Amino acid sequence: MKLFVYHTPELTPTQMPDCAIVVDVLRATTTIATALNAGAEAVQVFSDIQELMQVSEKWPADKRVRVGERGGNKVEGCDLGNSPLNCTSDVVGGKRLFMTTTNGTRALQRVQSAPVVITSALVNRQAVVEYLITKKPETVWIIGSGWEGSYSLEDTVCAGAIAESFVTEMGYPLDDVAGNDEVYGAISLYLQWQSQLYQLMNSASHGKRLVGLKCYDDLKYCAQTDILDILPIQTEPGVLVKSNIETQSLQYWMEDSTAKN
């Protein structure tokens, strides 16, 4: 297996990997995992707001939730912005989320033709690691969504968290797994900040934008690691559902981790 980290979707090669992992910690992929954990039927992503409105209009009104964000703010005409804390079971349970965000949904569309597309944030990191351990895809891209084409600390630290956990649990030499230099950099960033992820979020440029919007609780939530046993996986282009892959080993891991703490 070879792992590659790309800081933005614009930096990815044209040929698709066996497995693409899209990361947008602040906040799209955190929101996707949280919504599916709360019982959402699916999350369908769009880069274009007008397309979202047109497609969602064909869905029963009581079975849809429109999620729209630009620049950290809720899009006019949408039901929710991009806060994972709004995705409670009474709001999203049994419904399809139609989502567009500044960065994360654009990254998902970039790799939607890959054979396997999954999403990760810090909150569901271990579920993604367990998938890689179980399935062992030959080539894996971890793609950060960044911010409007530029590098982001929070997505890179999540990529490093995934890569570090996978390499450690499998016992592989990093030199045998790393497909590009960015893997080493991402792991180094994670190892330096793993016990101070909330502080890192506040130092990140997008974290500062969210602080300016008074999204303090969102930052705290997004900085948590391994709190959701959820693997969002694409079933058709742009549509993500909760995977039914057996996660018993993850449940044991989470129980053991909780006991140690």
Side-chain angles (χ1 to χ4, degrees):
M1 179 191 290
K2 283 291 184 181
L3 283 174
F4 298 81
V5 170
Y6 297 102
H7 297 311
T8 68
E10 291 81 4
L11 294 173
T12 58
T14 55
Q15 185 174 356
M16 290 292 105
D18 297 301
C19 175
I21 304 169
V22 173
V23 176
D24 185 5
V25 174
L26 297 177
R27 293 166 287 174
T29 57
T30 303
T31 298
I32 289 169
T34 303
L36 293 175
N37 186 65
E41 176 263 335
V43 179
Q44 188 167 352
V45 301
F46 302 83
S47 58
D48 181 73
I49 296 171
Q50 291 306 314
E51 184 185 3
L52 180 153
M53 292 298 183
Q54 291 169 5
V55 173
S56 63
E57 191 63 32
K58 301 172 185 176
W59 209 261
D62 62 343
K63 292 295 182 180
R64 71 176 183 231
V65 178
R66 291 166 170 160
V67 177
E69 173 268 333
R70 288 294 183 271
N73 293 299
K74 182 168 80 75
V75 172
E76 185 178 353
C78 288
D79 304 299
L80 301 176
N82 195 19
S83 173
L85 300 180
N86 290 330
C87 293
T88 57
S89 58
D90 59 321
V91 173
V92 305
K95 299 178 182 179
R96 175 167 294 208
L97 273 65
F98 295 85
M99 172 185 274
T100 182
T101 69
T102 305
N103 304 295
T105 51
R106 181 171 49 84
L108 277 161
Q109 290 204 328
R110 168 68 185 89
V111 295
Q112 66 182 11
S113 62
V116 176
V117 178
I118 58 182
T119 66
S120 183
L122 290 166
V123 293
N124 69 319
R125 182 272 308 257
Q126 192 61 28
V128 172
V129 173
E130 290 294 335
Y131 176 87
L132 297 179
I133 290 172
T134 302
K135 297 297 184 180
K136 298 182 179 63
E138 187 173 341
T139 56
V140 178
W141 293 358
I142 307 175
I143 307 109
S145 298
W147 176 261
E148 296 184 344
S150 62
Y151 174 93
S152 68
L153 279 172
E154 68 276 4
D155 292 347
T156 302
V157 82
C158 183
I162 296 167
E164 192 277 334
S165 183
F166 173 76
V167 171
T168 299
E169 292 190 37
M170 293 300 293
Y172 292 155
L174 181 55
D175 282 352
D176 292 350
V177 176
N180 60 4
D181 290 354
E182 288 87 336
V183 175
Y184 293 90
I187 290 176
S188 296
L189 181 68
Y190 172 67
L191 291 176
Q192 179 176 348
W193 288 92
Q194 60 183 315
S195 61
Q196 297 178 296
L197 291 171
Y198 178 59
Q199 289 85 339
L200 180 69
M201 299 294 170
N202 280 272
S203 298
S205 58
H206 190 38
K208 291 178 179 177
R209 292 185 193 95
L210 293 175
V211 167
L213 295 170
K214 297 181 170 50
C215 298
Y216 312 114
D217 291 338
D218 276 12
L219 283 177
K220 291 177 182 177
Y221 180 80
C222 293
Q224 296 179 94
T225 306
D226 305 332
I227 61 170
L228 299 180
D229 178 10
I230 288 290
L231 181 71
I233 191 165
Q234 182 177 263
T235 54
E236 60 183 272
V239 178
L240 296 145
V241 303
K242 177 183 176 181
S243 171
N244 60 5
I245 293 170
E246 179 59 55
T247 56
Q248 187 175 36
S249 59
L250 172 59
Q251 292 167 3
Y252 289 151
W253 183 92
M254 293 179 75
E255 290 170 2
D256 182 57
S257 181
T258 302
K260 288 178 180 177
N261 292 332

